[in-house]
Amino acid sequence: QVQLVESGGGSVQAGGSLRLSCAASGDTASSRWMAWFRQAPGKEREGVAAILTTTSNIYYANSVKGRFTISQDNAKNTLYLQMNSLKPEDTAMYYCAAAGPAGVQWWLWFKKDEYPYWGQGTQVTVSS
């Protein structure tokens, strides 16, 4: 089992920045894939970014490429999402997710069903 706790959400104006954190605990050694997802009201939960922690291979959704950066601090068991040049359409609840021992098929990194462990979410609101 893996427990995930997100923090760092808030309200910013368009063009601003936020950094989300996700503290992981439990059997983190078995979770080689970690990811950030987001869900806006009335929309499906979508993958934003993912990282294979053993190789640092990173994947981004096209909508955030060049603006968001996913990173990890293995010593602190913490995942980050640096979000720059925020847009109103980035407004959503942001969730941290971790895969189980079976891992993730890399071409499915953005599928929520690949991740059994989830945090409670942190709200990001971007105003125009």
Side-chain angles (χ1 to χ4, degrees):
Q1 294 287 323
V2 177
Q3 294 78 44
L4 304 169
V5 179
E6 303 98 332
S7 61
S11 297
V12 295
Q13 290 192 326
S17 299
L18 283 173
R19 188 176 81 154
L20 306 183
S21 299
C22 172
S25 60
D27 188 16
T28 57
S30 67
S31 294
R32 295 175 294 120
W33 282 85
M34 295 193 72
W36 288 98
F37 282 73
R38 67 186 181 186
Q39 187 167 17
K43 294 190 175 182
E44 292 289 319
R45 190 169 298 189
E46 63 173 356
V48 174
I51 183 168
L52 176 55
T53 60
T54 51
T55 64
S56 295
N57 284 4
I58 288 173
Y59 304 86
Y60 292 104
N62 287 336
S63 58
V64 306
K65 203 171 292 184
R67 299 188 299 122
F68 290 12
T69 302
I70 188 172
S71 63
Q72 57 179 334
D73 185 332
N74 290 331
K76 296 181 179 180
N77 280 336
T78 300
L79 182 73
Y80 301 100
L81 185 68
Q82 177 67 43
M83 305 186 294
N84 298 328
S85 302
L86 283 160
K87 304 175 181 180
E89 50 264 43
D90 294 318
T91 295
M93 186 72 79
Y94 283 71
Y95 297 91
C96 177
V104 172
Q105 305 289 340
W106 69 266
W107 58 92
L108 297 177
W109 71 265
F110 54 93
K111 292 288 190 180
K112 61 181 186 297
D113 291 344
E114 295 288 309
Y115 302 86
Y117 303 114
W118 293 86
Q120 81 289 350
T122 185
Q123 178 68 38
V124 172
T125 303
V126 184
S127 58
S128 58

